[in-house]
Every structure is written in structure tokens, then in C-alpha cells.
Amino acid sequence: MNVNKDLAPSEKLSHAVVRGMQEKKASNIVIMDLREVKNAIADFFVVCSGNSDTQLDAIADSVDEIVSKELDQDPWHQEGKNNKEWMLLDYVDVVAHIFKKDKREFYALENLWGDAKIEAIDDGA
């Protein structure tokens, strides 16, 4: 996924989040475009799965590092670093959700925000 200068700032941010996830081999990455969803709390959710506590930490650190380096942004809020089942990096317009696989199925964000446009990212990208 290349940085396109014509993209809105929140789109650029969502793509940087994806690159951070891909860097640590996150699986089942999806970008949920919430811009046309009534009462949405962000422009985009970027959701992925990881296999272990260590991988979840690595994915979160990678997202933080790439977004900071490319866009000079730090998360406004973070959650889940201690429980290691679902980690959240909130950049206000874009929220990164990093799940263990079973927790992702339990929370089912893709179903909860069913009106969102969902773009699946190829794991081999």
C-alpha cells in the first residue's frame, strides 16, 4: 500500500496503521470506512488478528513506530497493553484494534459496524 498524496489525512493514517500491522505479520487485516456511518466515532477502524501476547505487543509497537515516523502522530489513547487480548491504539480519526483471534470473533466489530465499507487487506501484501 503506497502513500498517496491525494488521500485525506485519515486515509493516509489508516494506510500507515496497515503497514505497521503488516510489518509484524498480523492476519486478517481489514479497513472499516466509517465516514458515511451515522454516529461513527472515527473515520476508520483498522482491525487485525495476532496469535500470541508477544505478537500483539509487537504489532502495537510497530503501528506506533510507523505512524510516528511517517506522520509524526502519537496515539491519543491506548488500551489493553496489560490484558493482551485486545489492544487499541486511538488516533482520534483512526482507531487500530489488535485482537487475539478468539476475542476478535467474540467482539465481531465487522458485524457491529455493519454499515461500514470494509476493505480486506491481502495478508501477502
PDB file of all heavy atoms in Angstrom, residues 27-28 47-53 55-56 83-87 98-111:
ATOM      1  N   SER A  27      -2.651 -10.908  10.907  1.00  0.00           N
ATOM      2  CA  SER A  27      -3.502 -11.614   9.948  1.00  0.00           C
ATOM      3  C   SER A  27      -4.892 -10.974   9.896  1.00  0.00           C
ATOM      4  O   SER A  27      -5.294 -10.247  10.802  1.00  0.00           O
ATOM      5  CB  SER A  27      -3.602 -13.097  10.308  1.00  0.00           C
ATOM      6  OG  SER A  27      -4.142 -13.253  11.600  1.00  0.00           O
ATOM      7  N   ASN A  28      -5.589 -11.270   8.810  1.00  0.00           N
ATOM      8  CA  ASN A  28      -6.974 -10.808   8.616  1.00  0.00           C
ATOM      9  C   ASN A  28      -7.138  -9.312   8.861  1.00  0.00           C
ATOM     10  O   ASN A  28      -8.022  -8.884   9.595  1.00  0.00           O
ATOM     11  CB  ASN A  28      -7.937 -11.595   9.510  1.00  0.00           C
ATOM     12  CG  ASN A  28      -7.909 -13.075   9.202  1.00  0.00           C
ATOM     13  OD1 ASN A  28      -7.846 -13.458   8.044  1.00  0.00           O
ATOM     14  ND2 ASN A  28      -7.938 -13.887  10.228  1.00  0.00           N
ATOM     15  N   VAL A  47      -8.562  -3.193  11.757  1.00  0.00           N
ATOM     16  CA  VAL A  47      -8.662  -4.342  12.648  1.00  0.00           C
ATOM     17  C   VAL A  47      -7.737  -5.442  12.144  1.00  0.00           C
ATOM     18  O   VAL A  47      -7.649  -5.681  10.929  1.00  0.00           O
ATOM     19  CB  VAL A  47     -10.121  -4.862  12.690  1.00  0.00           C
ATOM     20  CG1 VAL A  47     -10.268  -5.994  13.698  1.00  0.00           C
ATOM     21  CG2 VAL A  47     -11.105  -3.739  12.998  1.00  0.00           C
ATOM     22  N   CYS A  48      -7.070  -6.119  13.076  1.00  0.00           N
ATOM     23  CA  CYS A  48      -6.240  -7.266  12.697  1.00  0.00           C
ATOM     24  C   CYS A  48      -6.233  -8.284  13.823  1.00  0.00           C
ATOM     25  O   CYS A  48      -6.711  -8.023  14.924  1.00  0.00           O
ATOM     26  CB  CYS A  48      -4.810  -6.827  12.374  1.00  0.00           C
ATOM     27  SG  CYS A  48      -3.821  -6.380  13.816  1.00  0.00           S
ATOM     28  N   SER A  49      -5.673  -9.441  13.519  1.00  0.00           N
ATOM     29  CA  SER A  49      -5.536 -10.518  14.498  1.00  0.00           C
ATOM     30  C   SER A  49      -4.066 -10.870  14.670  1.00  0.00           C
ATOM     31  O   SER A  49      -3.269 -10.744  13.738  1.00  0.00           O
ATOM     32  CB  SER A  49      -6.284 -11.774  14.032  1.00  0.00           C
ATOM     33  OG  SER A  49      -7.652 -11.503  13.885  1.00  0.00           O
ATOM     34  N   GLY A  50      -3.748 -11.332  15.882  1.00  0.00           N
ATOM     35  CA  GLY A  50      -2.424 -11.848  16.190  1.00  0.00           C
ATOM     36  C   GLY A  50      -2.569 -13.157  16.936  1.00  0.00           C
ATOM     37  O   GLY A  50      -3.648 -13.471  17.453  1.00  0.00           O
ATOM     38  N   ASN A  51      -1.493 -13.916  17.009  1.00  0.00           N
ATOM     39  CA  ASN A  51      -1.549 -15.263  17.577  1.00  0.00           C
ATOM     40  C   ASN A  51      -1.130 -15.370  19.038  1.00  0.00           C
ATOM     41  O   ASN A  51      -1.467 -16.334  19.702  1.00  0.00           O
ATOM     42  CB  ASN A  51      -0.666 -16.214  16.760  1.00  0.00           C
ATOM     43  CG  ASN A  51      -1.216 -16.415  15.372  1.00  0.00           C
ATOM     44  OD1 ASN A  51      -2.405 -16.608  15.187  1.00  0.00           O
ATOM     45  ND2 ASN A  51      -0.341 -16.328  14.374  1.00  0.00           N
ATOM     46  N   SER A  52      -0.372 -14.396  19.537  1.00  0.00           N
ATOM     47  CA  SER A  52       0.189 -14.538  20.887  1.00  0.00           C
ATOM     48  C   SER A  52       0.310 -13.169  21.545  1.00  0.00           C
ATOM     49  O   SER A  52       0.238 -12.135  20.880  1.00  0.00           O
ATOM     50  CB  SER A  52       1.576 -15.177  20.804  1.00  0.00           C
ATOM     51  OG  SER A  52       2.480 -14.286  20.157  1.00  0.00           O
ATOM     52  N   ASP A  53       0.536 -13.183  22.856  1.00  0.00           N
ATOM     53  CA  ASP A  53       0.770 -11.941  23.599  1.00  0.00           C
ATOM     54  C   ASP A  53       1.936 -11.174  22.978  1.00  0.00           C
ATOM     55  O   ASP A  53       1.873  -9.958  22.795  1.00  0.00           O
ATOM     56  CB  ASP A  53       1.125 -12.232  25.059  1.00  0.00           C
ATOM     57  CG  ASP A  53      -0.020 -12.852  25.844  1.00  0.00           C
ATOM     58  OD1 ASP A  53      -1.116 -13.045  25.269  1.00  0.00           O
ATOM     59  OD2 ASP A  53       0.179 -13.140  27.034  1.00  0.00           O
ATOM     60  N   GLN A  55       3.130 -11.334  19.922  1.00  0.00           N
ATOM     61  CA  GLN A  55       2.819 -10.769  18.613  1.00  0.00           C
ATOM     62  C   GLN A  55       1.923  -9.538  18.756  1.00  0.00           C
ATOM     63  O   GLN A  55       2.111  -8.543  18.055  1.00  0.00           O
ATOM     64  CB  GLN A  55       2.175 -11.796  17.684  1.00  0.00           C
ATOM     65  CG  GLN A  55       2.021 -11.246  16.263  1.00  0.00           C
ATOM     66  CD  GLN A  55       1.335 -12.193  15.305  1.00  0.00           C
ATOM     67  OE1 GLN A  55       0.623 -13.103  15.710  1.00  0.00           O
ATOM     68  NE2 GLN A  55       1.552 -11.969  14.018  1.00  0.00           N
ATOM     69  N   LEU A  56       0.945  -9.575  19.652  1.00  0.00           N
ATOM     70  CA  LEU A  56       0.093  -8.405  19.862  1.00  0.00           C
ATOM     71  C   LEU A  56       0.926  -7.192  20.271  1.00  0.00           C
ATOM     72  O   LEU A  56       0.731  -6.098  19.734  1.00  0.00           O
ATOM     73  CB  LEU A  56      -0.981  -8.692  20.915  1.00  0.00           C
ATOM     74  CG  LEU A  56      -2.349  -9.106  20.382  1.00  0.00           C
ATOM     75  CD1 LEU A  56      -2.309 -10.371  19.572  1.00  0.00           C
ATOM     76  CD2 LEU A  56      -3.343  -9.228  21.513  1.00  0.00           C
ATOM     77  N   ASN A  83      -3.820  -6.602  29.374  1.00  0.00           N
ATOM     78  CA  ASN A  83      -4.597  -7.844  29.283  1.00  0.00           C
ATOM     79  C   ASN A  83      -4.232  -8.688  28.073  1.00  0.00           C
ATOM     80  O   ASN A  83      -4.494  -9.877  28.034  1.00  0.00           O
ATOM     81  CB  ASN A  83      -6.104  -7.568  29.322  1.00  0.00           C
ATOM     82  CG  ASN A  83      -6.647  -6.942  28.055  1.00  0.00           C
ATOM     83  OD1 ASN A  83      -6.058  -7.032  26.981  1.00  0.00           O
ATOM     84  ND2 ASN A  83      -7.788  -6.305  28.171  1.00  0.00           N
ATOM     85  N   LYS A  84      -3.659  -8.090  27.053  1.00  0.00           N
ATOM     86  CA  LYS A  84      -3.129  -8.804  25.878  1.00  0.00           C
ATOM     87  C   LYS A  84      -4.169  -9.663  25.158  1.00  0.00           C
ATOM     88  O   LYS A  84      -3.846 -10.692  24.594  1.00  0.00           O
ATOM     89  CB  LYS A  84      -1.941  -9.671  26.263  1.00  0.00           C
ATOM     90  CG  LYS A  84      -0.856  -8.929  26.999  1.00  0.00           C
ATOM     91  CD  LYS A  84       0.349  -8.727  26.160  1.00  0.00           C
ATOM     92  CE  LYS A  84       1.542  -8.230  26.916  1.00  0.00           C
ATOM     93  NZ  LYS A  84       1.430  -6.985  27.583  1.00  0.00           N
ATOM     94  N   GLU A  85      -5.427  -9.253  25.176  1.00  0.00           N
ATOM     95  CA  GLU A  85      -6.444  -9.965  24.408  1.00  0.00           C
ATOM     96  C   GLU A  85      -6.980  -9.087  23.301  1.00  0.00           C
ATOM     97  O   GLU A  85      -7.376  -9.550  22.252  1.00  0.00           O
ATOM     98  CB  GLU A  85      -7.575 -10.412  25.330  1.00  0.00           C
ATOM     99  CG  GLU A  85      -7.114 -11.459  26.311  1.00  0.00           C
ATOM    100  CD  GLU A  85      -8.227 -11.976  27.187  1.00  0.00           C
ATOM    101  OE1 GLU A  85      -9.304 -11.369  27.240  1.00  0.00           O
ATOM    102  OE2 GLU A  85      -8.005 -13.013  27.828  1.00  0.00           O
ATOM    103  N   TRP A  86      -6.999  -7.785  23.565  1.00  0.00           N
ATOM    104  CA  TRP A  86      -7.477  -6.812  22.594  1.00  0.00           C
ATOM    105  C   TRP A  86      -6.767  -5.516  22.901  1.00  0.00           C
ATOM    106  O   TRP A  86      -6.932  -4.945  23.965  1.00  0.00           O
ATOM    107  CB  TRP A  86      -8.978  -6.649  22.704  1.00  0.00           C
ATOM    108  CG  TRP A  86      -9.601  -5.580  21.857  1.00  0.00           C
ATOM    109  CD1 TRP A  86      -9.049  -4.965  20.757  1.00  0.00           C
ATOM    110  CD2 TRP A  86     -10.882  -5.000  22.020  1.00  0.00           C
ATOM    111  NE1 TRP A  86      -9.917  -4.052  20.242  1.00  0.00           N
ATOM    112  CE2 TRP A  86     -11.063  -4.045  21.002  1.00  0.00           C
ATOM    113  CE3 TRP A  86     -11.900  -5.186  22.934  1.00  0.00           C
ATOM    114  CZ2 TRP A  86     -12.222  -3.297  20.870  1.00  0.00           C
ATOM    115  CZ3 TRP A  86     -13.050  -4.435  22.792  1.00  0.00           C
ATOM    116  CH2 TRP A  86     -13.208  -3.511  21.779  1.00  0.00           C
ATOM    117  N   MET A  87      -5.947  -5.053  21.989  1.00  0.00           N
ATOM    118  CA  MET A  87      -5.225  -3.807  22.182  1.00  0.00           C
ATOM    119  C   MET A  87      -5.809  -2.766  21.240  1.00  0.00           C
ATOM    120  O   MET A  87      -6.205  -3.075  20.124  1.00  0.00           O
ATOM    121  CB  MET A  87      -3.734  -4.012  21.936  1.00  0.00           C
ATOM    122  CG  MET A  87      -3.141  -5.016  22.910  1.00  0.00           C
ATOM    123  SD  MET A  87      -1.471  -5.486  22.505  1.00  0.00           S
ATOM    124  CE  MET A  87      -0.594  -4.156  23.238  1.00  0.00           C
ATOM    125  N   ILE A  98      -6.263  -4.472  17.710  1.00  0.00           N
ATOM    126  CA  ILE A  98      -5.383  -5.627  17.547  1.00  0.00           C
ATOM    127  C   ILE A  98      -5.893  -6.710  18.487  1.00  0.00           C
ATOM    128  O   ILE A  98      -5.828  -6.564  19.705  1.00  0.00           O
ATOM    129  CB  ILE A  98      -3.923  -5.241  17.876  1.00  0.00           C
ATOM    130  CG1 ILE A  98      -3.496  -4.029  17.022  1.00  0.00           C
ATOM    131  CG2 ILE A  98      -2.995  -6.428  17.676  1.00  0.00           C
ATOM    132  CD1 ILE A  98      -2.291  -3.297  17.553  1.00  0.00           C
ATOM    133  N   PHE A  99      -6.434  -7.764  17.904  1.00  0.00           N
ATOM    134  CA  PHE A  99      -7.114  -8.811  18.675  1.00  0.00           C
ATOM    135  C   PHE A  99      -6.358 -10.128  18.655  1.00  0.00           C
ATOM    136  O   PHE A  99      -5.730 -10.474  17.659  1.00  0.00           O
ATOM    137  CB  PHE A  99      -8.466  -9.141  18.032  1.00  0.00           C
ATOM    138  CG  PHE A  99      -9.544  -8.146  18.247  1.00  0.00           C
ATOM    139  CD1 PHE A  99      -9.866  -7.218  17.262  1.00  0.00           C
ATOM    140  CD2 PHE A  99     -10.298  -8.160  19.406  1.00  0.00           C
ATOM    141  CE1 PHE A  99     -10.896  -6.317  17.439  1.00  0.00           C
ATOM    142  CE2 PHE A  99     -11.338  -7.264  19.593  1.00  0.00           C
ATOM    143  CZ  PHE A  99     -11.639  -6.342  18.606  1.00  0.00           C
ATOM    144  N   LYS A 100      -6.502 -10.903  19.742  1.00  0.00           N
ATOM    145  CA  LYS A 100      -6.262 -12.331  19.641  1.00  0.00           C
ATOM    146  C   LYS A 100      -7.450 -12.890  18.872  1.00  0.00           C
ATOM    147  O   LYS A 100      -8.559 -12.363  18.954  1.00  0.00           O
ATOM    148  CB  LYS A 100      -6.178 -12.980  21.024  1.00  0.00           C
ATOM    149  CG  LYS A 100      -4.811 -12.885  21.632  1.00  0.00           C
ATOM    150  CD  LYS A 100      -4.673 -13.885  22.755  1.00  0.00           C
ATOM    151  CE  LYS A 100      -3.279 -13.829  23.320  1.00  0.00           C
ATOM    152  NZ  LYS A 100      -3.238 -14.426  24.649  1.00  0.00           N
ATOM    153  N   LYS A 101      -7.231 -13.960  18.123  1.00  0.00           N
ATOM    154  CA  LYS A 101      -8.268 -14.449  17.203  1.00  0.00           C
ATOM    155  C   LYS A 101      -9.608 -14.742  17.875  1.00  0.00           C
ATOM    156  O   LYS A 101     -10.655 -14.355  17.370  1.00  0.00           O
ATOM    157  CB  LYS A 101      -7.763 -15.683  16.456  1.00  0.00           C
ATOM    158  CG  LYS A 101      -6.695 -15.331  15.447  1.00  0.00           C
ATOM    159  CD  LYS A 101      -6.188 -16.512  14.682  1.00  0.00           C
ATOM    160  CE  LYS A 101      -5.107 -16.030  13.727  1.00  0.00           C
ATOM    161  NZ  LYS A 101      -4.532 -17.073  12.946  1.00  0.00           N
ATOM    162  N   ASP A 102      -9.600 -15.397  19.028  1.00  0.00           N
ATOM    163  CA  ASP A 102     -10.870 -15.743  19.672  1.00  0.00           C
ATOM    164  C   ASP A 102     -11.605 -14.499  20.159  1.00  0.00           C
ATOM    165  O   ASP A 102     -12.836 -14.422  20.095  1.00  0.00           O
ATOM    166  CB  ASP A 102     -10.653 -16.738  20.816  1.00  0.00           C
ATOM    167  CG  ASP A 102      -9.756 -16.205  21.927  1.00  0.00           C
ATOM    168  OD1 ASP A 102      -8.847 -15.398  21.634  1.00  0.00           O
ATOM    169  OD2 ASP A 102      -9.955 -16.608  23.086  1.00  0.00           O
ATOM    170  N   LYS A 103     -10.881 -13.500  20.620  1.00  0.00           N
ATOM    171  CA  LYS A 103     -11.519 -12.261  21.080  1.00  0.00           C
ATOM    172  C   LYS A 103     -12.092 -11.472  19.904  1.00  0.00           C
ATOM    173  O   LYS A 103     -13.123 -10.817  20.035  1.00  0.00           O
ATOM    174  CB  LYS A 103     -10.526 -11.390  21.862  1.00  0.00           C
ATOM    175  CG  LYS A 103     -10.160 -11.983  23.187  1.00  0.00           C
ATOM    176  CD  LYS A 103     -11.388 -12.154  24.079  1.00  0.00           C
ATOM    177  CE  LYS A 103     -11.061 -12.853  25.357  1.00  0.00           C
ATOM    178  NZ  LYS A 103     -12.225 -13.193  26.152  1.00  0.00           N
ATOM    179  N   ARG A 104     -11.430 -11.552  18.769  1.00  0.00           N
ATOM    180  CA  ARG A 104     -11.958 -10.860  17.591  1.00  0.00           C
ATOM    181  C   ARG A 104     -13.310 -11.442  17.192  1.00  0.00           C
ATOM    182  O   ARG A 104     -14.241 -10.708  16.874  1.00  0.00           O
ATOM    183  CB  ARG A 104     -10.975 -10.960  16.431  1.00  0.00           C
ATOM    184  CG  ARG A 104     -11.471 -10.224  15.200  1.00  0.00           C
ATOM    185  CD  ARG A 104     -10.412 -10.085  14.176  1.00  0.00           C
ATOM    186  NE  ARG A 104     -10.885  -9.414  12.991  1.00  0.00           N
ATOM    187  CZ  ARG A 104     -10.113  -9.141  11.976  1.00  0.00           C
ATOM    188  NH1 ARG A 104      -8.828  -9.457  12.026  1.00  0.00           N
ATOM    189  NH2 ARG A 104     -10.595  -8.540  10.911  1.00  0.00           N
ATOM    190  N   GLU A 105     -13.413 -12.750  17.228  1.00  0.00           N
ATOM    191  CA  GLU A 105     -14.691 -13.397  16.915  1.00  0.00           C
ATOM    192  C   GLU A 105     -15.751 -13.008  17.943  1.00  0.00           C
ATOM    193  O   GLU A 105     -16.897 -12.762  17.600  1.00  0.00           O
ATOM    194  CB  GLU A 105     -14.521 -14.914  16.869  1.00  0.00           C
ATOM    195  CG  GLU A 105     -13.674 -15.388  15.702  1.00  0.00           C
ATOM    196  CD  GLU A 105     -13.272 -16.856  15.813  1.00  0.00           C
ATOM    197  OE1 GLU A 105     -13.852 -17.590  16.649  1.00  0.00           O
ATOM    198  OE2 GLU A 105     -12.375 -17.259  15.061  1.00  0.00           O
ATOM    199  N   PHE A 106     -15.374 -12.926  19.205  1.00  0.00           N
ATOM    200  CA  PHE A 106     -16.312 -12.582  20.272  1.00  0.00           C
ATOM    201  C   PHE A 106     -16.863 -11.163  20.098  1.00  0.00           C
ATOM    202  O   PHE A 106     -18.061 -10.934  20.198  1.00  0.00           O
ATOM    203  CB  PHE A 106     -15.618 -12.719  21.634  1.00  0.00           C
ATOM    204  CG  PHE A 106     -16.471 -12.307  22.796  1.00  0.00           C
ATOM    205  CD1 PHE A 106     -17.457 -13.165  23.278  1.00  0.00           C
ATOM    206  CD2 PHE A 106     -16.307 -11.072  23.400  1.00  0.00           C
ATOM    207  CE1 PHE A 106     -18.266 -12.786  24.352  1.00  0.00           C
ATOM    208  CE2 PHE A 106     -17.104 -10.685  24.470  1.00  0.00           C
ATOM    209  CZ  PHE A 106     -18.089 -11.545  24.948  1.00  0.00           C
ATOM    210  N   TYR A 107     -15.982 -10.201  19.836  1.00  0.00           N
ATOM    211  CA  TYR A 107     -16.418  -8.804  19.713  1.00  0.00           C
ATOM    212  C   TYR A 107     -17.029  -8.484  18.357  1.00  0.00           C
ATOM    213  O   TYR A 107     -17.856  -7.579  18.254  1.00  0.00           O
ATOM    214  CB  TYR A 107     -15.260  -7.846  20.013  1.00  0.00           C
ATOM    215  CG  TYR A 107     -14.936  -7.793  21.480  1.00  0.00           C
ATOM    216  CD1 TYR A 107     -13.815  -8.427  22.001  1.00  0.00           C
ATOM    217  CD2 TYR A 107     -15.762  -7.115  22.368  1.00  0.00           C
ATOM    218  CE1 TYR A 107     -13.514  -8.384  23.351  1.00  0.00           C
ATOM    219  CE2 TYR A 107     -15.481  -7.069  23.727  1.00  0.00           C
ATOM    220  CZ  TYR A 107     -14.362  -7.704  24.204  1.00  0.00           C
ATOM    221  OH  TYR A 107     -14.075  -7.658  25.542  1.00  0.00           O
ATOM    222  N   ALA A 108     -16.617  -9.171  17.314  1.00  0.00           N
ATOM    223  CA  ALA A 108     -17.214  -9.073  15.975  1.00  0.00           C
ATOM    224  C   ALA A 108     -17.466  -7.633  15.527  1.00  0.00           C
ATOM    225  O   ALA A 108     -18.583  -7.272  15.164  1.00  0.00           O
ATOM    226  CB  ALA A 108     -18.491  -9.897  15.914  1.00  0.00           C
ATOM    227  N   LEU A 109     -16.432  -6.810  15.545  1.00  0.00           N
ATOM    228  CA  LEU A 109     -16.579  -5.411  15.148  1.00  0.00           C
ATOM    229  C   LEU A 109     -17.117  -5.250  13.733  1.00  0.00           C
ATOM    230  O   LEU A 109     -17.875  -4.330  13.457  1.00  0.00           O
ATOM    231  CB  LEU A 109     -15.239  -4.675  15.247  1.00  0.00           C
ATOM    232  CG  LEU A 109     -14.724  -4.360  16.639  1.00  0.00           C
ATOM    233  CD1 LEU A 109     -13.452  -3.532  16.550  1.00  0.00           C
ATOM    234  CD2 LEU A 109     -15.759  -3.643  17.473  1.00  0.00           C
ATOM    235  N   GLU A 110     -16.710  -6.150  12.854  1.00  0.00           N
ATOM    236  CA  GLU A 110     -17.187  -6.052  11.469  1.00  0.00           C
ATOM    237  C   GLU A 110     -18.703  -6.179  11.398  1.00  0.00           C
ATOM    238  O   GLU A 110     -19.341  -5.553  10.556  1.00  0.00           O
ATOM    239  CB  GLU A 110     -16.526  -7.123  10.582  1.00  0.00           C
ATOM    240  CG  GLU A 110     -15.040  -6.914  10.339  1.00  0.00           C
ATOM    241  CD  GLU A 110     -14.137  -7.663  11.321  1.00  0.00           C
ATOM    242  OE1 GLU A 110     -14.549  -7.909  12.474  1.00  0.00           O
ATOM    243  OE2 GLU A 110     -13.011  -7.993  10.928  1.00  0.00           O
ATOM    244  N   ASN A 111     -19.286  -6.980  12.292  1.00  0.00           N
ATOM    245  CA  ASN A 111     -20.749  -7.113  12.331  1.00  0.00           C
ATOM    246  C   ASN A 111     -21.394  -5.945  13.065  1.00  0.00           C
ATOM    247  O   ASN A 111     -22.465  -5.474  12.675  1.00  0.00           O
ATOM    248  CB  ASN A 111     -21.154  -8.428  13.002  1.00  0.00           C
ATOM    249  CG  ASN A 111     -20.695  -9.631  12.223  1.00  0.00           C
ATOM    250  OD1 ASN A 111     -20.475  -9.568  11.020  1.00  0.00           O
ATOM    251  ND2 ASN A 111     -20.523 -10.749  12.908  1.00  0.00           N
TER     252      ASN A 111
END
